[in-house]
Amino acid sequence: MRKKVAIRQLPTGVAGLDELLGGGIPEFSFNLIAGTPGSGKTTMAHQIMFSLANPDRRALFFTVLGEPPLKMLRYQQQFSYFDIDKINTSIKFVNLSGDLLDGEFDRVLARIVEEVERFSPSLVFVDSFRSVVQSAKASRDDGAWGLQHFIQALGVQMTSWQATTFLIGEYPSQEEESSPVFTVADGIVWMSQHVHRDAMVRKLQVVKMRGQAQRPGLHTFRITDDGVEVFPRAILKYDASQKKEMPSNLRLTMGVPLLDKMMGGGLPVGYSLLVVGPSGCGKSVLSTEFLAEGVRLGEPGVIAAFEKSPSQLLSGRLEKLVDSGKVTVIDTRSLDLSIDEIIHDLVILIKKTKARRVVIDSLSGFELALASIFRENFRESLYRLTSVLTNMGVTVLMTAELEDRYTDLRFSSYSNAFLTDAILLLRYVEIAGQFKRVISVVKVRASDHSKEIRFFDIAKDSVKIGKALTNYHGILSGQPTLIDESDPEVAA
């Protein structure tokens, strides 16, 4: 046998799932969709069926001791993938509950064979296959052997019919993998839901898929009005060709000329910049300057708002940038998000708009938006987010709020300074009974940046940087300081 047998892959119609499977479901394969109660198994099975079924590829859906077809269809009609015109033409439902009550597997198999030969389907679904297992254990002592024989016979029959088969099974945990069906199945998709404190997150794992390289690990998914949507876990891939296309000396201007000079000529392309400071110090204004400069130079931008509402965010200068169509806003204020969802939405929007600048405002809101199961690994989530974006050649500006402390000097929150390529520190200092803003460049990797601490102010939604604090010793340490109040910069 010198030629390889080409196996056709069927698209599932489930967003993100084909990527995990390695391209789709292998045609004529024997698959198990298993998981915990309420995890979305039947919904995903119906979504696959309605996506694939047509007059030339008909589907047969067997229900065992689960929901009756009429009850199941009543709820499945609420999803956008449901097409009532396919019922009884391209899709047929058969209830096997009466055939299984006495535990006679031969009778059940005979009924399945009869229906398949009569309808000639290309797709066969059995839901819930767990009911067959429970019936085998309760019916007789040799139920396990009868079940194994039934599964093997069913598999042989399906192969001879050239049908792609899906068994839907409700299993409390993956400890049930000792079941014969796990051995016979060509593909196994495991679905589960995890409750952690006040949050619930659904996860999906491709345990097995013969003949093709599936994506390993647990991946987040949601059930929406469109059905199941999977968010594949971001895996960083080094792309040497992409790195060669990015000149190491290429820098972006921040929109504040003196700040560019302080940073050694601007922010290098593909860097992540962390702008930290207390509330009201000007982080969002500086972010807007960054995006506005990109619009002026023809570089589209994206802003992910984790803190402010759309009405608060879309005001003033930023509103004009969004109205121009050159800056796009992702509203991420809904709670219990996963890092996979956030990265997925950002990557899709960046590719769609060809954005070169991304603002994340702010990391404090980002942490709150994450489901509690992800908050415990916030630094890992932040690392994955920045790594994926910068690996795309995008330059990222993130804001983070620091507590208002005047007796110590910190450069970042969450001990995440090492995750970013550059840091700008914005602070307040008390001078002559007034708060003054100061700015400093803490780091810019591989750059000879300024070490000065300079006054700055905000005027008409723009940042104005002033003189250095060369003569004002002790201001940032909170120690008493002699101030020349006649200095124009101090008076300002």
Side-chain angles (χ1 to χ4, degrees):
M1 183 171 169
R2 296 180 178 179
K3 287 187 178 181
K4 291 183 178 179
V5 176
I7 299 178
R8 184 183 177 189
Q9 293 178 319
L10 304 178
T12 62
V14 179
L17 181 59
D18 292 347
E19 183 180 344
L20 301 185
L21 297 176
I25 291 286
E27 192 173 27
F28 310 143
S29 59
F30 197 62
N31 304 283
L32 175 64
I33 301 176
T36 56
S39 57
K41 302 178 298 300
T42 300
T43 299
M44 190 167 78
H46 276 83
Q47 190 171 347
I48 294 172
M49 179 174 65
F50 276 96
S51 174
L52 290 174
N54 57 49
D56 297 323
R57 187 194 292 128
R58 299 198 289 180
L60 194 55
F61 198 104
F62 292 99
T63 59
V64 188
L65 295 180
E67 297 174 305
L70 287 179
K71 180 182 178 182
M72 187 171 7
L73 288 175
R74 180 188 178 197
Y75 291 103
Q76 291 300 317
Q77 288 182 57
Q78 310 309 312
F79 294 106
S80 63
Y81 61 73
F82 185 87
D83 185 353
I84 195 170
D85 293 333
K86 292 185 177 182
I87 304 298
N88 294 327
T89 55
S90 299
I91 296 174
K92 181 181 179 181
F93 287 86
V94 177
N95 194 340
L96 295 176
S97 58
D99 300 278
L100 192 65
L101 288 177
D102 55 5
E104 290 292 338
F105 294 116
D106 292 338
R107 180 177 172 183
V108 175
L109 183 60
R111 177 72 188 282
I112 292 176
V113 170
E114 177 186 350
E115 294 291 345
V116 168
E117 290 179 344
R118 181 183 303 169
F119 196 64
S120 298
S122 300
L123 304 165
V124 177
F125 296 80
V126 181
D127 183 15
S128 155
F129 196 74
R130 175 69 171 173
S131 302
V132 180
V133 177
Q134 292 174 334
S135 178
K137 291 180 178 179
S139 61
R140 54 189 182 184
D141 295 336
D142 62 341
W145 169 254
L147 173 63
Q148 186 173 357
H149 175 74
F150 169 77
I151 293 171
Q152 291 173 343
L154 181 61
V156 170
Q157 290 284 357
M158 294 303 173
T159 303
S160 65
W161 293 323
Q162 292 192 326
T164 307
T165 309
F166 298 85
L167 308 182
I168 298 94
E170 184 174 290
Y171 293 87
S173 68
Q174 291 196 44
E175 294 177 358
E176 298 289 342
E177 290 184 7
S178 58
S179 170
V181 69
F182 283 90
T183 304
V184 176
D186 300 311
I188 301 174
V189 176
W190 189 273
M191 305 174 73
S192 59
Q193 51 188 359
H194 305 271
V195 178
H196 185 80
R197 296 182 181 176
D198 57 346
M200 191 274 287
V201 176
R202 286 187 165 97
K203 289 287 187 178
L204 182 147
Q205 180 185 5
V206 181
V207 179
K208 176 183 180 183
M209 190 57 61
R210 284 182 176 142
Q212 54 196 50
Q214 69 268 20
R215 179 80 69 86
L218 292 172
H219 307 269
T220 307
F221 75 94
R222 278 188 181 273
I223 300 178
T224 67
D225 292 338
D226 296 324
V228 174
E229 182 178 5
V230 182
F231 305 96
R233 191 172 188 269
I235 297 178
L236 300 181
K237 296 180 179 179
Y238 178 74
D239 189 342
S241 61
Q242 185 179 30
K243 294 297 181 181
K244 291 178 182 178
E245 293 174 0
M246 293 171 51
S248 58
N249 59 347
L250 185 61
R251 292 174 179 257
L252 299 182
T253 60
M254 297 291 296
V256 184
L258 189 50
L259 179 57
D260 291 337
K261 184 178 179 181
M262 293 174 64
M263 298 180 71
L267 182 61
V269 171
Y271 267 35
S272 57
L273 169 65
L274 181 62
V275 180
V276 294
S279 177
C281 67
K283 300 185 295 297
S284 296
V285 175
L286 187 60
S287 301
T288 304
E289 287 272 20
F290 176 70
L291 292 172
E293 183 67 5
V295 171
R296 187 182 72 82
L297 297 174
E299 300 167 353
V302 170
I303 178 170
F306 292 99
E307 198 167 280
K308 298 179 180 178
S309 65
S311 59
Q312 292 174 318
L313 189 68
L314 298 180
S315 60
R317 191 177 185 186
L318 184 57
E319 182 178 14
K320 295 178 181 178
L321 296 176
V322 174
D323 290 341
S324 71
K326 297 297 183 180
V327 173
T328 309
V329 178
I330 293 182
D331 180 19
T332 55
R333 285 177 57 80
S334 60
L335 298 179
D336 285 357
L337 292 171
S338 73
I339 183 61
D340 299 318
E341 291 177 76
I342 295 169
I343 293 177
H344 174 271
D345 291 346
L346 276 172
V347 168
I348 293 295
L349 191 55
I350 289 169
K351 290 181 178 179
K352 179 181 178 181
T353 63
K354 298 181 179 179
R356 307 309 303 159
R357 301 180 181 220
V358 173
V359 168
I360 298 173
D361 188 19
S362 67
L363 294 185
S364 305
F366 172 48
E367 182 192 25
L368 291 176
L370 290 175
S372 57
I373 192 173
F374 297 104
R375 293 176 201 160
E376 295 182 355
N377 298 315
F378 178 71
R379 288 202 298 171
E380 177 190 347
S381 299
L382 181 59
Y383 170 74
R384 290 175 57 199
L385 177 65
T386 56
S387 298
V388 168
L389 297 182
T390 55
N391 195 55
M392 295 174 64
V394 176
T395 307
V396 183
L397 185 153
M398 301 175 289
T399 67
E401 186 165 327
L402 290 176
E403 296 178 12
D404 300 322
R405 296 181 181 179
Y406 305 100
T407 57
D408 64 347
L409 187 62
R410 293 185 300 144
F411 297 142
S412 71
S413 54
Y414 312 104
S415 301
N416 54 19
F418 73 98
L419 296 175
T420 59
D421 303 301
I423 298 176
L424 292 181
L425 177 63
L426 280 57
R427 296 202 67 184
Y428 290 115
V429 294
E430 186 179 354
I431 299 177
Q434 292 185 349
F435 278 133
K436 298 291 182 180
R437 296 183 177 96
V438 295
I439 186 172
S440 56
V441 180
V442 176
K443 79 171 183 178
V444 180
R445 284 196 175 116
S447 296
D448 185 16
H449 60 84
S450 171
K451 308 302 188 295
E452 294 177 325
I453 300 173
R454 287 181 171 268
F455 286 106
F456 80 97
D457 212 339
I458 300 172
K460 296 182 180 180
D461 291 332
S462 62
V463 174
K464 305 294 182 183
I465 297 181
K467 294 181 179 180
L469 278 71
T470 308
N471 299 323
Y472 309 126
H473 302 290
I475 289 178
L476 295 182
S477 64
Q479 299 300 319
T481 308
L482 294 176
I483 299 297
D484 182 3
E485 297 186 18
S486 65
D487 189 315
E489 188 61 48
V490 175

